[in-house]
Amino acid sequence: MSHTIYLPTFAAKKEDVQRQLAILQEEVLQKHPSTFDIGLEIGGLPKHFQQGEHLEAIVDNMKSVAAGVKTIVHGFAGLAVYTEGISDMSNDEVGPKLLKTYIDLAKKLGSNYVHVHVHGSAGFQGIKPLADKFDRLEKIRRNLINGMINSEGIPIGLENLPVPSCCDFYTDPKEVWSDCAQQPEDVQTVIQGTPLKFTFDTAHYGINKPGSIDLVKPVEGLKEHLYHLHVVDCTGFWKANVSKAYDGSIPGDGRIGPDSFQKFFHYIRENHPNLGMCIEVKNDPYYFREGIRRVIKWLSE
């Protein structure tokens, strides 16, 4: 067994697939032969997963450039997810339709995971508690479990989000957009007692944690539910009316810091020896390369 190092790609753009694959080949396969595997995590804009020509382009680009490489279907993200409700997994029409799109794409590519990024409600403005949060979490669970019926064994998972989900847009808590499934415990409420998986995003967790950040604590005891990692650091700390926070920093360069990541990857190496992890940093070749180097170093120590 070995860990798989992924990079994100806007796969509707052939040149992006080519660039990301070249980085993985140079930094992982050439420098660490037979030690790690590589993969691409497919993301993009909303239109890339809503319009047929873009979905066809994703399939063509992945098959022509990256045939045989492991893939994960991530899907789209961005503020429109909240303002337009286009990935609302608690909506019995919108959620299943989008999930079917992701699963169909995964089948065509032979992907090994469908990871639902913005997986909760359509989005609500502000950070106030939702009166119907439990009901929404139950709807998310039901819609994802129903999606697994047609996934032909492809695992489906959820990701923890920061609070508020779009914390890097505003300082005013009345303006930010939130989600009903954000913290790791929200995700665990959805997946407990099911075959659903968990994608743990390190920066999304760290953005809301004051002081030193322990990355091991939120994933201890997840066992087979922990299926994938988004590895990235965060800058700043979101505080209502005062400050913004951002993710995208190279692991170790932000608030989480190198010591916490080193401890975390020692835990991952010992307890999850075949886990996949995506270096989800700023869209810059230097950031991707340095992120890969550090993660491999921590996994090898």
Side-chain angles (χ1 to χ4, degrees), residues 10-238:
F10 273 33
K13 300 179 179 180
K14 188 173 185 177
E15 63 273 16
D16 194 76
V17 179
Q18 292 170 327
R19 182 191 72 166
Q20 299 299 74
L21 182 59
I23 293 173
L24 285 166
Q25 290 172 333
E26 293 166 10
E27 295 294 337
V28 181
L29 297 185
Q30 293 179 17
K31 294 182 178 179
H32 306 276
S34 304
T35 306
F36 300 95
D37 206 346
I38 62 171
L40 292 167
E41 187 166 322
I42 300 167
L45 302 173
K47 67 179 182 180
H48 294 155
F49 298 89
Q50 294 174 318
Q51 300 173 11
E53 65 268 27
H54 292 299
L55 286 165
E56 291 174 3
I58 290 174
V59 174
D60 290 344
N61 292 339
M62 293 301 297
K63 289 187 174 181
S64 63
V65 176
V69 174
K70 291 183 177 180
T71 58
I72 287 174
V73 176
H74 178 291
F76 55 78
L79 188 58
V81 166
Y82 298 97
T83 58
E84 300 176 21
I86 52 180
S87 72
D88 183 0
M89 287 296 155
S90 69
N91 183 299
D92 290 338
E93 293 184 7
V94 173
K97 182 179 179 181
L98 178 61
L99 186 57
K100 183 179 184 302
T101 298
Y102 290 162
I103 291 172
D104 287 347
L105 178 60
K107 288 179 180 178
K108 291 177 181 178
L109 295 174
S111 300
N112 59 312
Y113 190 36
V114 172
H115 155 72
V116 185
H117 176 225
V118 180
H119 51 264
S121 59
F124 60 95
Q125 209 159 4
I127 55 173
K128 58 187 181 297
L130 289 181
D132 61 346
K133 179 175 178 176
F134 180 78
D135 291 338
R136 291 198 190 191
L137 294 179
E138 286 298 310
K139 288 180 179 179
I140 295 167
R141 180 209 296 259
R142 183 187 65 224
N143 285 330
L144 293 177
I145 289 295
N146 287 340
M148 293 187 65
I149 295 173
N150 298 313
S151 72
E152 296 181 1
I154 300 172
I156 297 173
L158 313 177
E159 174 184 356
N160 62 299
L161 300 171
V163 182
S165 298
C166 288
C167 65
D168 56 342
F169 286 92
Y170 305 101
T171 57
D172 184 348
K174 295 180 180 179
E175 295 297 322
V176 297
W177 288 83
S178 302
D179 193 288
C180 75
Q182 299 179 127
Q183 296 287 4
E185 52 264 33
D186 297 324
V187 176
Q188 290 179 46
T189 297
V190 175
I191 68 176
Q192 61 186 354
T194 77
L196 294 169
K197 304 301 182 182
F198 185 8
T199 295
F200 178 57
D201 188 300
T202 57
H204 288 174
Y205 179 73
I207 275 173
N208 300 117
K209 297 296 178 183
S212 61
I213 300 167
D214 183 354
L215 295 174
V216 175
K217 183 178 179 180
V219 300
E220 279 184 314
L222 285 174
K223 298 181 180 179
E224 71 277 0
H225 283 295
L226 184 61
Y227 198 78
H228 189 57
L229 303 175
H230 280 174
V231 185
V232 55
D233 214 326
C234 53
T235 302
F237 178 79
W238 190 85

Side-chain angles (χ1 to χ4, degrees), residues 7-8 16 19-20 23 248 250 279 281-291:
L7 285 184
D16 194 76
R19 182 191 72 166
Q20 299 299 74
I23 293 173
I250 297 169
I279 314 300
V281 295
K282 177 182 176 181
N283 187 20
D284 181 282
Y286 170 77
Y287 277 61
F288 290 129
R289 290 180 184 276
E290 185 62 21

Side-chain angles (χ1 to χ4, degrees), residues 266-294:
H266 180 268
Y267 172 84
I268 293 299
R269 186 187 67 213
E270 296 299 318
N271 295 276
H272 298 275
N274 61 342
L275 200 67
M277 52 199 71
C278 184
I279 314 300
E280 203 180 47
V281 295
K282 177 182 176 181
N283 187 20
D284 181 282
Y286 170 77
Y287 277 61
F288 290 129
R289 290 180 184 276
E290 185 62 21
I292 291 171
R293 292 167 188 164
R294 293 187 190 185

